[in-house]
Every structure is written in C-alpha cells, then in structure tokens.
Amino acid sequence: MDTELREKILVVEDEASLRELLQYNLEKEGYRVTLATDGEDGLLHVEENKPDLIVLDWMLPQVSGIEVCRRLRRSNETKLIPILMLTAKGEEADMVRGLSIGADDYMTKPFSVVELVARVKALLRRSNPARSEESLTYRDLTMDLRTYRVSRAGSEVHVGPTEFKLLRYFMENPGRVFTREQLLDAVWGSDIYVEPRTVDVHIRRLRVALNPTGGEDCRDYIRTVRSAGYALDDSAE
Ligand code: CA
C-alpha cells in the first residue's frame, strides 16, 4: 500500500520494551507508527503528525495519560482522534473516569497484543468507515462483510441476521465484556424496547451456530460472565 495512505498510529508509552513490542506488531499490520516516551512528547507528536489513532499509557512522566487525553479532547483539531488507553491492574476503577473524559477504549496490562491490534482496527473502522475492512477474523472465525458469510475453520456457518450483528459486534471488540443492555443498544438500537432476555436467546442461537456439533474439539467462543454479560473470548469453558 502507498505509504501516504497508511494510517498513522502514535504510541505514547514510557516503558521501552512495551513501546518496541507495540511498534513491531502495529508496523507488521501495515500501520505507520511514531513513538513518544512521555505525555509532553506525545502532545508535540500529535501536533506535528496528526495521527489517526493514539495508544496512550495512563501512567506517564511529565504529563499523565489522562491529562493528555483531556487536552486532546478540548481542541477541535484533535478531539475526534480515537484514543486507546493502557492501564495497569488496579487502575481499572480510574478507567471509568478515563472513558468519561474521552478515551474510546482501554486495555489493562498485561494484555494480548493480538487483541490490542484487533481493538485498534475496530477503533479505526469506527472513526473512518470509508476505510473499513471487508472482513473480520477471530481465531478460526471469518466474517465477510460484503457477502454476509460467516465461516469457522473454513466451513460455512449459517447465522440469522440478528446473530450476524451480534457476532460482528463481538468480533469488532474481542475480549470485551458487554452487558445485555449494551448488546441491545448495539444490535437492536436504543430506541427499541426489547427484553434483556431476548439477548440470551440470540446468544444461545449464535453459540449453536458456531458449534453445531457441540464437539469438545470445537471451542465455545462466547463467554458468559456471571451477572455481567457476554464476551467473545477463547478462554471460554
Ligand atoms: Ca507507564
């Protein structure tokens, strides 16, 4: 792809090893990556390079990640740039605040790089649908967004329209736990009243569709999170 067309990602992270890991994996996906080691440096990079997305660490020297986020959201020039925040374990409660000041998504360290790349793609797709991809993949699952075909390990899987929308939402946000209400809003829309139980019905159908034989060699990718909701996650039991 033409270098100029490739999307620019700014990584603001003070841990050198993590910076390198992110740079390596994002470049492998074809993104142009710039690096900043602290918040102030990060803000300068944003001004100079106008990135398409920012991976922003929460705890940073000089200016903290949250302050960087707040400043970016205040300016018309930068307020729409998607921000994926990184946080250490134990800072999760603070993340609620992080999201409320404008981060688009967050991940807790240590995280899976595969999942981070998937989240980055999802955020970029949301911010610029014209650039959107034509298919989604998760492990051995593939979803073709033009033909509406879903396949697992190469065999076609038949899903209804609602299950397709559910699966698409999960595949755009792998590993993330959604409540029934969030799934209702995302799939059915917030102006329609649907019983939360309806979600369970479609989740069940989706599970059966993805694993028709119920075989043990075939993992259940939909994880039920007790009293919380559901996630697409291959650690499902
Ligand atoms: Ca840090």
Side-chain angles (χ1 to χ4, degrees), residues 38-104:
D38 62 57
E40 213 167 285
D41 194 21
L43 286 166
L44 274 175
H45 273 270
V46 175
E47 221 171 283
E48 286 168 12
N49 299 313
K50 294 276 174 304
D52 296 294
L53 178 143
I54 304 168
V55 178
L56 180 61
D57 187 28
W58 173 269
M59 294 296 276
L60 287 169
Q62 315 299 333
V63 183
S64 75
I66 195 145
E67 183 55 27
V68 170
C69 189
R70 193 175 289 138
R71 289 195 204 172
L72 293 175
R73 289 301 179 245
R74 226 180 288 156
S75 149
N76 279 337
E77 291 261 290
T78 55
K79 69 179 178 197
L80 296 176
I81 303 175
I83 297 175
L84 171 59
M85 282 207 109
L86 303 179
T87 172
K89 258 207 164 71
E91 293 167 0
E92 254 185 324
D94 291 342
M95 284 318 300
V96 177
R97 198 156 61 94
L99 290 174
S100 72
I101 61 139
D104 298 273

Side-chain angles (χ1 to χ4, degrees), residues 1-220:
M1 209 192 283
D2 191 315
T3 325
E4 286 310 301
L5 292 174
R6 279 159 42 191
E7 288 155 306
K8 289 177 285 185
I9 297 180
L10 169 65
V11 174
V12 191
E13 168 58 72
D14 56 325
E15 269 171 70
S17 55
L18 195 49
R19 246 185 350 254
E20 280 165 33
L21 179 80
L22 292 172
Q23 179 176 31
Y24 173 79
N25 284 282
L26 291 168
E27 283 182 348
K28 209 171 70 181
E29 293 294 316
Y31 297 115
R32 282 185 287 162
V33 178
T34 47
L35 303 171
T37 54
D38 62 57
E40 213 167 285
D41 194 21
L43 286 166
L44 274 175
H45 273 270
V46 175
E47 221 171 283
E48 286 168 12
N49 299 313
K50 294 276 174 304
D52 296 294
L53 178 143
I54 304 168
V55 178
L56 180 61
D57 187 28
W58 173 269
M59 294 296 276
L60 287 169
Q62 315 299 333
V63 183
S64 75
I66 195 145
E67 183 55 27
V68 170
C69 189
R70 193 175 289 138
R71 289 195 204 172
L72 293 175
R73 289 301 179 245
R74 226 180 288 156
S75 149
N76 279 337
E77 291 261 290
T78 55
K79 69 179 178 197
L80 296 176
I81 303 175
I83 297 175
L84 171 59
M85 282 207 109
L86 303 179
T87 172
K89 258 207 164 71
E91 293 167 0
E92 254 185 324
D94 291 342
M95 284 318 300
V96 177
R97 198 156 61 94
L99 290 174
S100 72
I101 61 139
D104 298 273
D105 198 359
Y106 73 91
M107 294 189 80
T108 307
K109 297 175 186 176
F111 51 81
S112 127
V113 179
V114 175
E115 194 178 319
L116 180 130
V117 169
R119 300 259 192 114
V120 161
K121 284 185 183 169
L123 285 175
L124 286 170
R125 205 162 36 230
R126 247 191 276 160
S127 74
N128 191 351
R131 258 173 151 152
S132 77
E133 286 171 74
E134 292 173 336
S135 68
L136 294 169
T137 56
Y138 180 79
R139 306 289 186 244
D140 59 354
L141 281 180
T142 307
M143 174 173 257
D144 189 319
L145 300 174
R146 295 158 310 163
T147 61
Y148 294 93
R149 278 169 196 271
V150 178
S151 63
R152 179 161 191 184
S155 317
E156 195 169 344
V157 169
H158 298 278
V159 293
T162 303
E163 288 74 41
F164 185 91
K165 283 190 216 160
L166 263 176
L167 183 61
R168 177 177 183 163
Y169 195 55
F170 279 132
M171 287 179 79
E172 285 175 343
N173 302 279
R176 188 147 162 200
V177 179
F178 293 105
T179 62
R180 289 172 180 79
E181 286 71 23
Q182 285 170 325
L183 292 171
L184 281 174
D185 281 356
V187 174
W188 284 264
S190 50
D191 38 302
I192 297 178
Y193 180 74
V194 185
E195 291 248 1
R197 275 192 46 238
T198 308
V199 175
D200 301 334
V201 172
H202 289 278
I203 289 278
R204 208 173 307 133
R205 283 189 199 157
L206 181 58
R207 275 200 168 116
V208 171
L210 293 179
N211 190 359
T213 59
E216 290 201 350
D217 52 327
C218 206
R219 297 202 80 131
D220 183 0

